[in-house]
Amino acid sequence: MKVPLNWLAEFVEINAAPEEIAANLTSAGMKVEKIYRTGEGVEGIIVGEVDAVGEHPNADKLSVVRVRTGCDYISVVCGASNFKVGDRVPVAQPGSKVPKVGEIGRRKFRGVPSEGMLCSASELGLGDDHSGILVLDPKTIVGTDLKQALGLGEAVLELEINPNRPDAMGLIGIAREVAACTGAGLKDFSATIDFKVSEARASDFVRVEIQDEAGCPRYMARVIEGAGSGPSPAWAQQRLILSGVRPISAIVDATNYAMLVTGQPQHAFDMDRVGGGKIVVRRAAPGETLISIDGIDRKLDPEDLVIADESRPVALAGVMGGQDSEVTDSTNRVILETANFETRSIFRTSRRHALRSEASARFERGVDPNGVDLASRLATALIVDWAGGNAAAGSVDVYPNPVERETITMRPDRARALLGADFSTEQMTDALGRLGLKPENDDGAIRTTVPTFRVDLKVEEDLIEEVARVIGYDKIPTTLPSGSNRAGRLPDTEKALRKLRRALIGAGLYEAKTSSLVSPADLEKIGLGSNAATPLANPISRDESLLRPSLLPGLLRSAALNFSRRPGAVRLFEVGRTFHPNGTEPPVEKLRLAIALGGVSPQEWHSPEREMDFFDLKGMVEVVLQTLSVRDAEFEERQEVLFHPTRAAGLFAGDGTRLGVFGELAPESADRAGVPARFSVGEFDLDALIALVGAPLPPPEPSRFPAVLLDLAVVVAEKVDTRSLLNTARSAGGPLLESVRLIDVYRGEQVGAGNKSMAISMTFRSPERTLADGEALQARNAIAKAIEQNHGGKVRA
């Protein structure tokens, strides 16, 4: 927000330099972005009068303008068309300097010489409007230096207003802040508001009906008859320009002027273009449209709040008026709207139509409904003063549920404890009083009545913050927090996750962090439909329209990108949350671990170059189980759409709970994901795994006695799985069997169709003595017999 200090001085005493005021405001949390003085860089520019406007012989969009500069005339080529003969305009002659352009010289445009330029407000640094030439007050004397004519040199503060401070979107609010942080006195201007009133009443001309009280808590309408067209006073236009608002006409400028003072947006309707003299505040009907003031035909959404007459919408409430009801040069009777609209409704409408205005910027923050009358009276007085006419007596004010002031009690001891500063009760009371909060002593506490324009003050801590910023954050000493000295500790889950990350990185994996948002195409790559994910209500794009139900889409996307940049090996893991639909309730979040690896592993000192496969991933899963000390888990062969039919496995707890699934991608799955044919992925339920975390096993004591190693090959039916065969061997091996593992599987003519040969390696050892060969052979034979009985296996010769 831009605040001209000379204008601000009408509402608060200015007894300090602009730099000091800016420093005080910034220290109090009202950040001043910069200070600039109007007319900086303007040199040699004078006031000229347009004498004639002719067509450019070689360009359709340019014109040749004859300008009187006093006793002389010059010819200027110009691209703007918002002026006419007789208008006073800023003229930069050769040798003069324009802030946004530089030094002006003689030039030719399409063969026609130009002896200078006509300047816009933006080029002069007087505002943001660059759509046309700055047209000056017709009473300005031709040939006068522009700085003198406009009174340039005024200091302007540019402030960044916090979203929770809508009261600071007007000069009155800024004046309160200056008074609070500098001790300056406020000036009451409301008593000076006065205007002519006719014998007719506003209710004789206009009726107001609010159909959506939640969207419009209050609507006030006033009527001005006999208002004429024409510009607003030059001094008012100058103030609008310095505040970044383009002057339009006396009536429109009056509403904008009052908005900049009070922070309350207002809108003027041509009463003769409002059907039936009736204002209806409602939601848009399906299929309704509105041509807004900017000339765009907008298709309205049923969620849009509109201002309508008896038959059609005439404005997009709180955002922009309609072209069919705006005031024009022929307007004679005005309906002045001063209303209050619900913040979220305005925010959504503004975003939906990609339309942001000075009004919507204020309504989105929240405007005080009890400030409506003051703003309405001020705008009415300005319209009557600048455009003539008389105001109808009274107003039509629909305010079904008036907002009352709230009372908050602040305990001085609580404030001192939170701030760490020994401020006295009197200091705190004074600080709150300087903000206009009317504090009172209530049995040692400070009871404060909060004005409705301070929507950010809700609880005791808000008042304590106000005390701190008004007295000054620099007045709060540096102190150490009190309390017992207790060492912090990590939750068990976080400790387990840190341990797991270290282990996987140590095993050669790299941790990835991918987006929680995925697209329907990402889910199709892993065999899931969009119904498996939770859609976003307002997605940025289709590529980020769903909350991920799995970590694999993001990890596969990262793997494919890595392979496209540098073919070789990819070894990634990710720990993150997934989101699963839960009907109409918020999605269920789950903590997951995903691993992805594949490609050619480079040659190391301990292993040759080779292609990574399913067993590399299985080894990583075993690292996870060992790191978390999960002992009650088993592998089971699985067949799922995403994976190769014979190279996938599930991980299950002893009670049957599914802990995860992993394997090599099926060829078509790998092709869709853009990764090599033999690429392995897995995803695991970390919540379930962490629930199984056990105490770490102590490292085994090395045995003093040697082991006996024996192998056994048995022919079994194809349906016999590895897990059941090894469980049989462990049960039959007795106390001497230390370990057993599968070392080979053979299928071929020698074992017959429908059969396979499974070779296992067994380690036998006694903790007390050296075993004789016969003891180990006896245990081996017992295992062979058990396999024959339980699985129909036959020992191969």
mmCIF file of all heavy atoms in Angstrom, residues 76-109:
data_model
loop_
_atom_site.group_PDB
_atom_site.id
_atom_site.type_symbol
_atom_site.label_atom_id
_atom_site.label_comp_id
_atom_site.label_asym_id
_atom_site.label_seq_id
_atom_site.Cartn_x
_atom_site.Cartn_y
_atom_site.Cartn_z
ATOM 1 N N VAL A 76 4.668 16.389 -31.744
ATOM 2 C CA VAL A 76 5.062 15.173 -31.023
ATOM 3 C C VAL A 76 4.326 13.975 -31.611
ATOM 4 O O VAL A 76 3.111 14.040 -31.837
ATOM 5 C CB VAL A 76 4.735 15.291 -29.508
ATOM 6 C CG1 VAL A 76 5.081 13.996 -28.789
ATOM 7 C CG2 VAL A 76 5.484 16.463 -28.901
ATOM 8 N N VAL A 77 5.060 12.880 -31.857
ATOM 9 C CA VAL A 77 4.441 11.622 -32.288
ATOM 10 C C VAL A 77 4.067 10.833 -31.033
ATOM 11 O O VAL A 77 4.891 10.662 -30.123
ATOM 12 C CB VAL A 77 5.390 10.794 -33.173
ATOM 13 C CG1 VAL A 77 4.761 9.448 -33.524
ATOM 14 C CG2 VAL A 77 5.719 11.573 -34.450
ATOM 15 N N CYS A 78 2.819 10.375 -30.969
ATOM 16 C CA CYS A 78 2.328 9.728 -29.741
ATOM 17 C C CYS A 78 1.526 8.467 -30.089
ATOM 18 O O CYS A 78 0.828 8.417 -31.102
ATOM 19 C CB CYS A 78 1.461 10.713 -28.958
ATOM 20 S SG CYS A 78 0.857 10.075 -27.382
ATOM 21 N N GLY A 79 1.614 7.457 -29.217
ATOM 22 C CA GLY A 79 0.878 6.217 -29.419
ATOM 23 C C GLY A 79 -0.383 6.119 -28.597
ATOM 24 O O GLY A 79 -1.176 5.193 -28.785
ATOM 25 N N ALA A 80 -0.620 7.048 -27.675
ATOM 26 C CA ALA A 80 -1.822 7.009 -26.837
ATOM 27 C C ALA A 80 -2.948 7.787 -27.516
ATOM 28 O O ALA A 80 -2.721 8.605 -28.417
ATOM 29 C CB ALA A 80 -1.530 7.595 -25.469
ATOM 30 N N SER A 81 -4.173 7.534 -27.026
ATOM 31 C CA SER A 81 -5.325 8.202 -27.650
ATOM 32 C C SER A 81 -6.363 8.640 -26.621
ATOM 33 O O SER A 81 -7.510 8.887 -26.970
ATOM 34 C CB SER A 81 -5.977 7.261 -28.664
ATOM 35 O OG SER A 81 -6.401 6.065 -28.037
ATOM 36 N N ASN A 82 -5.959 8.748 -25.344
ATOM 37 C CA ASN A 82 -6.934 9.039 -24.283
ATOM 38 C C ASN A 82 -7.103 10.540 -24.020
ATOM 39 O O ASN A 82 -7.673 10.918 -23.005
ATOM 40 C CB ASN A 82 -6.495 8.348 -22.995
ATOM 41 C CG ASN A 82 -5.189 8.901 -22.437
ATOM 42 O OD1 ASN A 82 -4.214 9.021 -23.163
ATOM 43 N ND2 ASN A 82 -5.180 9.246 -21.159
ATOM 44 N N PHE A 83 -6.586 11.369 -24.900
ATOM 45 C CA PHE A 83 -6.678 12.813 -24.690
ATOM 46 C C PHE A 83 -7.356 13.439 -25.901
ATOM 47 O O PHE A 83 -7.536 12.813 -26.957
ATOM 48 C CB PHE A 83 -5.287 13.422 -24.483
ATOM 49 C CG PHE A 83 -4.315 13.085 -25.588
ATOM 50 C CD1 PHE A 83 -4.228 13.870 -26.726
ATOM 51 C CD2 PHE A 83 -3.501 11.959 -25.502
ATOM 52 C CE1 PHE A 83 -3.359 13.569 -27.750
ATOM 53 C CE2 PHE A 83 -2.627 11.638 -26.520
ATOM 54 C CZ PHE A 83 -2.540 12.433 -27.647
ATOM 55 N N LYS A 84 -7.717 14.734 -25.752
ATOM 56 C CA LYS A 84 -8.400 15.454 -26.832
ATOM 57 C C LYS A 84 -7.851 16.869 -26.899
ATOM 58 O O LYS A 84 -7.078 17.318 -26.016
ATOM 59 C CB LYS A 84 -9.907 15.464 -26.575
ATOM 60 C CG LYS A 84 -10.332 16.169 -25.303
ATOM 61 C CD LYS A 84 -11.832 16.035 -25.077
ATOM 62 C CE LYS A 84 -12.290 16.806 -23.843
ATOM 63 N NZ LYS A 84 -11.647 16.339 -22.609
ATOM 64 N N VAL A 85 -8.264 17.554 -27.899
ATOM 65 C CA VAL A 85 -7.819 18.948 -28.071
ATOM 66 C C VAL A 85 -8.289 19.770 -26.866
ATOM 67 O O VAL A 85 -9.444 19.678 -26.430
ATOM 68 C CB VAL A 85 -8.391 19.532 -29.379
ATOM 69 C CG1 VAL A 85 -8.089 21.030 -29.472
ATOM 70 C CG2 VAL A 85 -7.821 18.807 -30.583
ATOM 71 N N GLY A 86 -7.376 20.560 -26.323
ATOM 72 C CA GLY A 86 -7.675 21.407 -25.168
ATOM 73 C C GLY A 86 -7.195 20.823 -23.852
ATOM 74 O O GLY A 86 -7.136 21.535 -22.837
ATOM 75 N N ASP A 87 -6.843 19.531 -23.830
ATOM 76 C CA ASP A 87 -6.366 18.905 -22.590
ATOM 77 C C ASP A 87 -4.976 19.409 -22.236
ATOM 78 O O ASP A 87 -4.138 19.685 -23.101
ATOM 79 C CB ASP A 87 -6.329 17.375 -22.735
ATOM 80 C CG ASP A 87 -7.694 16.746 -22.578
ATOM 81 O OD1 ASP A 87 -8.612 17.450 -22.108
ATOM 82 O OD2 ASP A 87 -7.841 15.547 -22.914
ATOM 83 N N ARG A 88 -4.742 19.516 -20.924
ATOM 84 C CA ARG A 88 -3.405 19.842 -20.413
ATOM 85 C C ARG A 88 -2.668 18.537 -20.159
ATOM 86 O O ARG A 88 -3.199 17.626 -19.499
ATOM 87 C CB ARG A 88 -3.483 20.643 -19.119
ATOM 88 C CG ARG A 88 -4.306 21.925 -19.203
ATOM 89 C CD ARG A 88 -3.630 22.990 -20.071
ATOM 90 N NE ARG A 88 -4.120 24.322 -19.773
ATOM 91 C CZ ARG A 88 -5.113 24.930 -20.396
ATOM 92 N NH1 ARG A 88 -5.770 24.290 -21.344
ATOM 93 N NH2 ARG A 88 -5.472 26.167 -20.070
ATOM 94 N N VAL A 89 -1.436 18.440 -20.673
ATOM 95 C CA VAL A 89 -0.671 17.183 -20.564
ATOM 96 C C VAL A 89 0.790 17.494 -20.240
ATOM 97 O O VAL A 89 1.277 18.590 -20.532
ATOM 98 C CB VAL A 89 -0.744 16.387 -21.887
ATOM 99 C CG1 VAL A 89 -2.158 15.883 -22.145
ATOM 100 C CG2 VAL A 89 -0.253 17.218 -23.061
ATOM 101 N N PRO A 90 1.528 16.528 -19.623
ATOM 102 C CA PRO A 90 2.959 16.735 -19.377
ATOM 103 C C PRO A 90 3.744 16.572 -20.681
ATOM 104 O O PRO A 90 3.563 15.594 -21.403
ATOM 105 C CB PRO A 90 3.322 15.615 -18.397
ATOM 106 C CG PRO A 90 2.016 15.048 -17.926
ATOM 107 C CD PRO A 90 1.038 15.287 -19.018
ATOM 108 N N VAL A 91 4.607 17.539 -20.970
ATOM 109 C CA VAL A 91 5.385 17.521 -22.204
ATOM 110 C C VAL A 91 6.874 17.499 -21.852
ATOM 111 O O VAL A 91 7.359 18.383 -21.137
ATOM 112 C CB VAL A 91 5.071 18.758 -23.081
ATOM 113 C CG1 VAL A 91 5.873 18.698 -24.378
ATOM 114 C CG2 VAL A 91 3.588 18.839 -23.374
ATOM 115 N N ALA A 92 7.562 16.485 -22.368
ATOM 116 C CA ALA A 92 9.015 16.396 -22.181
ATOM 117 C C ALA A 92 9.675 16.818 -23.479
ATOM 118 O O ALA A 92 9.608 16.117 -24.490
ATOM 119 C CB ALA A 92 9.411 14.977 -21.810
ATOM 120 N N GLN A 93 10.318 18.008 -23.475
ATOM 121 C CA GLN A 93 10.993 18.509 -24.660
ATOM 122 C C GLN A 93 12.428 17.997 -24.698
ATOM 123 O O GLN A 93 12.942 17.485 -23.708
ATOM 124 C CB GLN A 93 10.969 20.048 -24.646
ATOM 125 C CG GLN A 93 9.554 20.629 -24.643
ATOM 126 C CD GLN A 93 9.561 22.139 -24.667
ATOM 127 O OE1 GLN A 93 9.565 22.757 -25.731
ATOM 128 N NE2 GLN A 93 9.571 22.752 -23.485
ATOM 129 N N PRO A 94 13.091 18.111 -25.851
ATOM 130 C CA PRO A 94 14.483 17.663 -25.939
ATOM 131 C C PRO A 94 15.342 18.265 -24.831
ATOM 132 O O PRO A 94 15.280 19.475 -24.565
ATOM 133 C CB PRO A 94 14.913 18.152 -27.329
ATOM 134 C CG PRO A 94 13.629 18.162 -28.122
ATOM 135 C CD PRO A 94 12.582 18.601 -27.149
ATOM 136 N N GLY A 95 16.112 17.412 -24.160
ATOM 137 C CA GLY A 95 16.965 17.841 -23.058
ATOM 138 C C GLY A 95 16.365 17.580 -21.690
ATOM 139 O O GLY A 95 17.085 17.567 -20.683
ATOM 140 N N SER A 96 15.047 17.393 -21.613
ATOM 141 C CA SER A 96 14.422 17.098 -20.324
ATOM 142 C C SER A 96 14.606 15.615 -20.000
ATOM 143 O O SER A 96 14.990 14.807 -20.848
ATOM 144 C CB SER A 96 12.939 17.451 -20.359
ATOM 145 O OG SER A 96 12.271 16.718 -21.368
ATOM 146 N N LYS A 97 14.317 15.245 -18.731
ATOM 147 C CA LYS A 97 14.525 13.864 -18.280
ATOM 148 C C LYS A 97 13.228 13.291 -17.717
ATOM 149 O O LYS A 97 12.558 13.932 -16.910
ATOM 150 C CB LYS A 97 15.627 13.802 -17.221
ATOM 151 C CG LYS A 97 17.009 14.140 -17.770
ATOM 152 C CD LYS A 97 18.072 14.028 -16.691
ATOM 153 C CE LYS A 97 19.455 14.354 -17.257
ATOM 154 N NZ LYS A 97 20.518 14.259 -16.195
ATOM 155 N N VAL A 98 12.926 12.083 -18.176
ATOM 156 C CA VAL A 98 11.752 11.345 -17.706
ATOM 157 C C VAL A 98 12.261 10.129 -16.919
ATOM 158 O O VAL A 98 13.090 9.373 -17.433
ATOM 159 C CB VAL A 98 10.874 10.887 -18.893
ATOM 160 C CG1 VAL A 98 9.667 10.108 -18.391
ATOM 161 C CG2 VAL A 98 10.434 12.092 -19.716
ATOM 162 N N PRO A 99 11.785 9.939 -15.666
ATOM 163 C CA PRO A 99 12.355 8.897 -14.801
ATOM 164 C C PRO A 99 12.436 7.504 -15.437
ATOM 165 O O PRO A 99 13.463 6.841 -15.354
ATOM 166 C CB PRO A 99 11.402 8.886 -13.594
ATOM 167 C CG PRO A 99 10.863 10.270 -13.543
ATOM 168 C CD PRO A 99 10.751 10.717 -14.960
ATOM 169 N N LYS A 100 11.369 7.043 -16.087
ATOM 170 C CA LYS A 100 11.353 5.683 -16.626
ATOM 171 C C LYS A 100 11.890 5.600 -18.054
ATOM 172 O O LYS A 100 11.923 4.509 -18.633
ATOM 173 C CB LYS A 100 9.918 5.129 -16.595
ATOM 174 C CG LYS A 100 9.290 5.060 -15.211
ATOM 175 C CD LYS A 100 9.979 4.015 -14.353
ATOM 176 C CE LYS A 100 9.329 3.907 -12.976
ATOM 177 N NZ LYS A 100 7.984 3.333 -13.024
ATOM 178 N N VAL A 101 12.291 6.756 -18.631
ATOM 179 C CA VAL A 101 12.741 6.765 -20.025
ATOM 180 C C VAL A 101 14.177 7.247 -20.141
ATOM 181 O O VAL A 101 14.992 6.671 -20.853
ATOM 182 C CB VAL A 101 11.805 7.660 -20.883
ATOM 183 C CG1 VAL A 101 12.287 7.691 -22.340
ATOM 184 C CG2 VAL A 101 10.378 7.140 -20.805
ATOM 185 N N GLY A 102 14.497 8.316 -19.416
ATOM 186 C CA GLY A 102 15.824 8.913 -19.533
ATOM 187 C C GLY A 102 15.758 10.272 -20.197
ATOM 188 O O GLY A 102 14.700 10.931 -20.241
ATOM 189 N N GLU A 103 16.865 10.713 -20.747
ATOM 190 C CA GLU A 103 16.911 12.034 -21.390
ATOM 191 C C GLU A 103 16.217 11.968 -22.743
ATOM 192 O O GLU A 103 16.389 11.033 -23.521
ATOM 193 C CB GLU A 103 18.355 12.498 -21.555
ATOM 194 C CG GLU A 103 18.461 13.923 -22.081
ATOM 195 C CD GLU A 103 19.880 14.472 -22.005
ATOM 196 O OE1 GLU A 103 20.675 13.949 -21.195
ATOM 197 O OE2 GLU A 103 20.174 15.421 -22.762
ATOM 198 N N ILE A 104 15.422 13.000 -23.014
ATOM 199 C CA ILE A 104 14.613 13.038 -24.233
ATOM 200 C C ILE A 104 15.365 13.811 -25.322
ATOM 201 O O ILE A 104 15.969 14.857 -25.064
ATOM 202 C CB ILE A 104 13.249 13.701 -23.960
ATOM 203 C CG1 ILE A 104 12.516 12.951 -22.843
ATOM 204 C CG2 ILE A 104 12.407 13.712 -25.232
ATOM 205 C CD1 ILE A 104 12.277 11.488 -23.122
ATOM 206 N N GLY A 105 15.308 13.270 -26.537
ATOM 207 C CA GLY A 105 15.921 13.953 -27.687
ATOM 208 C C GLY A 105 14.954 13.990 -28.851
ATOM 209 O O GLY A 105 13.837 13.480 -28.780
ATOM 210 N N ARG A 106 15.402 14.609 -29.964
ATOM 211 C CA ARG A 106 14.580 14.637 -31.176
ATOM 212 C C ARG A 106 14.742 13.299 -31.909
ATOM 213 O O ARG A 106 15.840 12.797 -32.072
ATOM 214 C CB ARG A 106 15.004 15.794 -32.084
ATOM 215 C CG ARG A 106 14.647 17.168 -31.530
ATOM 216 C CD ARG A 106 15.115 18.274 -32.461
ATOM 217 N NE ARG A 106 14.627 19.572 -32.035
ATOM 218 C CZ ARG A 106 15.227 20.315 -31.107
ATOM 219 N NH1 ARG A 106 16.331 19.868 -30.516
ATOM 220 N NH2 ARG A 106 14.726 21.478 -30.759
ATOM 221 N N ARG A 107 13.597 12.734 -32.335
ATOM 222 C CA ARG A 107 13.634 11.445 -33.030
ATOM 223 C C ARG A 107 12.636 11.450 -34.182
ATOM 224 O O ARG A 107 11.748 12.309 -34.252
ATOM 225 C CB ARG A 107 13.282 10.298 -32.074
ATOM 226 C CG ARG A 107 14.281 10.074 -30.955
ATOM 227 C CD ARG A 107 13.832 8.914 -30.087
ATOM 228 N NE ARG A 107 13.692 7.683 -30.871
ATOM 229 C CZ ARG A 107 13.157 6.556 -30.410
ATOM 230 N NH1 ARG A 107 12.691 6.528 -29.173
ATOM 231 N NH2 ARG A 107 13.067 5.487 -31.188
ATOM 232 N N LYS A 108 12.795 10.446 -35.046
ATOM 233 C CA LYS A 108 11.824 10.252 -36.114
ATOM 234 C C LYS A 108 11.112 8.922 -35.883
ATOM 235 O O LYS A 108 11.736 7.915 -35.552
ATOM 236 C CB LYS A 108 12.504 10.231 -37.482
ATOM 237 C CG LYS A 108 12.898 11.596 -38.009
ATOM 238 C CD LYS A 108 13.400 11.490 -39.453
ATOM 239 C CE LYS A 108 13.710 12.880 -40.001
ATOM 240 N NZ LYS A 108 14.148 12.807 -41.428
ATOM 241 N N PHE A 109 9.773 8.924 -36.024
ATOM 242 C CA PHE A 109 8.979 7.723 -35.914
ATOM 243 C C PHE A 109 8.288 7.477 -37.261
ATOM 244 O O PHE A 109 7.418 8.252 -37.671
ATOM 245 C CB PHE A 109 7.933 7.861 -34.807
ATOM 246 C CG PHE A 109 8.526 7.952 -33.425
ATOM 247 C CD1 PHE A 109 8.862 9.190 -32.883
ATOM 248 C CD2 PHE A 109 8.768 6.801 -32.683
ATOM 249 C CE1 PHE A 109 9.412 9.264 -31.611
ATOM 250 C CE2 PHE A 109 9.311 6.882 -31.419
ATOM 251 C CZ PHE A 109 9.643 8.109 -30.875
#
